[in-house]
Amino acid sequence: MGKALDELRTRTDVKWTYISPAGDFQADGTRTGKYILGGEELTLNAKGESIISYADYAVAMVDEALNGSHIQQRISVVAE
């Protein structure tokens, strides 16, 4: 995926946003609808965790697709 991100960063003919999940990506985790957006660096929540459920990752992805707040950027997402 690193190579894919490197390729995206060279592109100016498409709008893209690369969303990285937290370190602990839980397929069966609970959907809370609450998440924290981070940047390129590891982001931790108030509990010191890097965790996100698939459901909350999907919520963050749809929110970003609708809002388009991070065009041509890599962001990360962790549970609140």
Side-chain angles (χ1 to χ4, degrees), residues 35 39 48 71-72:
Y35 57 86
I71 304 299
Q72 312 309 86

Side-chain angles (χ1 to χ4, degrees), residues 5 8-9 11 14-18 70-73:
L5 177 58
L8 282 173
R9 289 182 174 178
R11 304 289 300 266
V14 294
K15 290 183 180 179
W16 60 268
T17 302
Y18 193 98
H70 299 91
I71 304 299
Q72 312 309 86
Q73 294 179 41

Side-chain angles (χ1 to χ4, degrees), residues 20-79:
S20 296
D24 188 357
F25 199 19
Q26 298 186 341
D28 57 352
T30 303
R31 178 181 182 215
T32 66
K34 299 176 183 177
Y35 57 86
I36 301 165
L37 289 181
E40 297 265 347
E41 302 298 322
L42 176 66
T43 302
L44 303 176
N45 63 18
K47 297 177 186 175
E49 303 169 322
S50 176
I51 188 170
I52 191 81
S53 68
Y54 276 34
D56 282 339
Y57 179 81
V59 169
M61 187 181 299
V62 170
D63 287 349
E64 185 59 35
L66 293 173
N67 297 325
S69 302
H70 299 91
I71 304 299
Q72 312 309 86
Q73 294 179 41
R74 175 186 175 201
I75 58 174
S76 59
V77 60
V78 299

